[in-house]
């Protein structure tokens, strides 16, 4: 399959990105991530991109995407916005077909309930699927989307016998081990890709050379590094930064009702001042 990806320019600074999902309003943790990515690009003469990850159709709403842009502006950030995920469905579908044809991925028709009833190993990410559907389904059995998910085949990846690494500005050289993720879902039953497949293809298509994101997503990079290898994509560097925690010591999350940036903005708070306080916290945490 022909895919065009931007080449890393010689002597150019890093291309970083902030890639929020518009299924809710941003909170302080998001502001922190966006500032890390923005400032790195600014400091090193690179470019900072905004990508709206709106693949999750029913949950993604344009008003959330609008609020994201206003929040970033309020924080005093400047960005270049690239194509949202909803415009890239064909790119994801082609990559999924390629992985399936090359037998690096297989169809799985199990329901959540069925998976819960299966014997499984517990991996770093929770439950690992034991491969019950492997070899059961032929691609042509499922012309209709929505009946099956597509999973990477751990055994097929291990048989490749390749040692893949990524460079992490914080963690150093990291070996991407497929056993960390097992037969992970790369196309969801209800969507044309999972976060893993979509974000990996997008980072390549957008020419991102330094992926910055929270340490909570460290384990995803094992998956993404393998997808890059299987799909012939360029490999960016990574920076998995510390997370901003709430007063309870837990990660700040939308679901926990931590104050949204929109609320703070509308209450008249100074966004640039808030961004500077977050920068000071970053220095304390050592990012
Ligand atoms: N849309 C993902 C999120 O909001 C992006 C994660 C990433 O930076 O790769 O968690």
């Amino acid at each position: 399959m022909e895919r065009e990806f931007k080449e890393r320019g010689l002597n150019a600074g890093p291309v970083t990105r902030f890639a929020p999902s518009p299924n809710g309003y941003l909170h302080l943790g998001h502001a922190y991530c966006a500032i890390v990515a923005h400032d790195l690009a600014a400091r090193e003469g690179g470019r900072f991109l905004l990508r709206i990850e709106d693949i999750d159709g029913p949950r993604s709403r344009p008003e959330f995407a609008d609020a994201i842009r206003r929040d970033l502006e309020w924080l005093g950030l400047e960005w270049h916005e690239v194509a949202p995920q909803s415009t890239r469905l064909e790119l994801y579908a082609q990559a999924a077909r390629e992985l399936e044809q090359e037998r690096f991925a297989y169809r799985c028709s199990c329901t959540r309930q069925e998976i819960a009833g299966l014997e499984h190993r517990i991996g770093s990410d929770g439950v690992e699927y034991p491969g019950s559907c492997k070899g059961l389904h032929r691609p042509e059995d499922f012309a209709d989307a929505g009946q099956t998910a597509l999973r990477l085949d751990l055994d097929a990846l291990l048989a490749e016998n390749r040692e893949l690494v990524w460079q992490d500005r914080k963690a150093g050289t990291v070996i991407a081990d497929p056993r960390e993720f097992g037969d992970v879902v790369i196309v969801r039953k209800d969507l044309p890709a999972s976060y893993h497949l979509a974000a990996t293809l997008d980072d390549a298509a957008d020419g991102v050379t330094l992926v910055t994101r929270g340490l909570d997503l460290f384990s995803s990079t094992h998956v993404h590094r393998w997808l890059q290898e299987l799909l012939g994509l360029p490999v960016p560097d990574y920076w998995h930064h510390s997370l901003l925690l709430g007063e309870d010591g837990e990660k700040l999350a939308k679901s926990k009702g931590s104050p949204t940036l929109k609320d703070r903005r509308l209450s008249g708070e100074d966004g640039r001042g808030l961004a500077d306080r977050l920068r000071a916290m970053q220095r304390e945490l050592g990012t």
Side-chain angles (χ1 to χ4, degrees):
M1 168 188 162
E2 287 297 310
R3 273 186 226 100
E4 276 185 33
F5 295 108
K6 296 179 185 119
E7 289 299 322
R8 218 179 257 234
L10 282 181
N11 302 322
V15 179
T16 65
R17 74 351 181 232
F18 176 54
S21 307
N23 51 24
Y25 293 114
L26 300 186
H27 56 75
L28 273 186
H30 289 115
Y32 187 82
C33 289
I35 291 168
V36 169
H38 171 273
D39 288 5
L40 258 168
R43 236 183 353 253
E44 299 181 16
R47 263 160 68 94
F48 169 60
L49 311 180
L50 169 67
R51 181 174 68 234
I52 301 290
E53 300 214 324
D54 60 349
I55 195 174
D56 199 344
R59 294 178 63 221
S60 298
R61 301 217 310 253
E63 61 265 35
F64 292 134
D66 284 345
I68 288 169
R69 295 183 193 99
R70 281 166 204 252
D71 291 340
L72 296 184
E73 210 177 313
W74 173 70
L75 291 166
L77 307 186
E78 283 179 18
W79 67 91
H80 173 73
E81 185 162 347
V82 292
Q85 292 191 323
S86 52
T87 62
R88 293 224 169 109
L89 304 188
E90 189 45 36
L91 179 71
Y92 311 146
Q94 278 189 39
R97 276 196 294 275
E98 191 174 312
L99 291 170
E100 190 177 6
Q101 275 159 11
E102 289 172 11
R103 307 252 181 257
F104 289 123
Y106 64 89
R107 302 286 184 122
C108 171
S109 60
C110 290
T111 61
R112 268 169 208 258
Q113 258 181 342
E114 281 167 345
I115 293 172
L118 292 169
E119 281 197 20
H120 52 253
R121 291 177 289 148
I122 306 292
S124 58
D125 253 355
V127 174
E128 276 185 26
Y129 180 70
S132 323
C133 275
K134 201 179 337 184
L136 280 190
H137 309 302
R138 294 172 311 162
E140 52 276 28
D141 293 340
F142 295 100
D144 285 348
Q147 286 182 305
T148 53
L150 195 66
R151 290 177 177 277
L152 279 182
D153 182 342
L154 171 64
D155 296 330
L157 302 192
L158 290 175
E160 288 293 293
N161 212 10
R162 289 185 226 181
E163 185 174 271
L164 306 185
V165 296
W166 81 79
Q167 300 305 326
D168 198 299
R169 286 212 188 179
K170 196 174 157 92
T173 303
V174 185
I175 296 174
D177 187 348
R179 281 167 297 218
E180 289 284 328
F181 52 84
D183 291 2
V184 68
V185 170
I186 51 166
V187 175
R188 285 169 44 173
K189 269 190 191 173
D190 55 338
L191 299 174
S194 70
Y195 153 66
H196 297 305
L197 185 62
T200 304
L201 284 161
D202 287 340
D203 283 334
D206 295 334
V208 173
T209 60
L210 176 59
V211 173
T212 61
R213 57 184 169 216
L215 267 174
D216 55 331
L217 286 168
F218 192 89
S219 60
S220 298
T221 306
H222 291 271
V223 186
H224 299 187
R225 181 65 191 85
W226 268 87
L227 287 173
Q228 285 152 4
E229 181 74 6
L230 300 176
L231 294 166
L233 308 178
V235 184
D237 290 339
Y238 289 85
W239 188 330
H240 294 93
H241 57 75
S242 313
L243 295 175
L244 192 62
L245 303 179
E247 281 168 15
D248 54 1
E250 295 285 319
K251 182 186 152 196
L252 289 175
K254 291 173 240 187
S255 51
K256 289 190 191 151
S258 50
T260 67
L261 298 187
K262 180 186 171 221
D263 290 340
R264 288 171 173 263
R265 171 163 57 80
L266 294 182
S267 75
E269 190 176 334
D270 170 17
R272 286 167 191 257
L274 175 66
D276 284 340
R277 289 203 301 285
L278 291 172
R279 289 187 175 103
M281 284 162 122
Q282 244 170 58
R283 286 193 290 273
E284 249 171 63
L285 286 170
T287 311

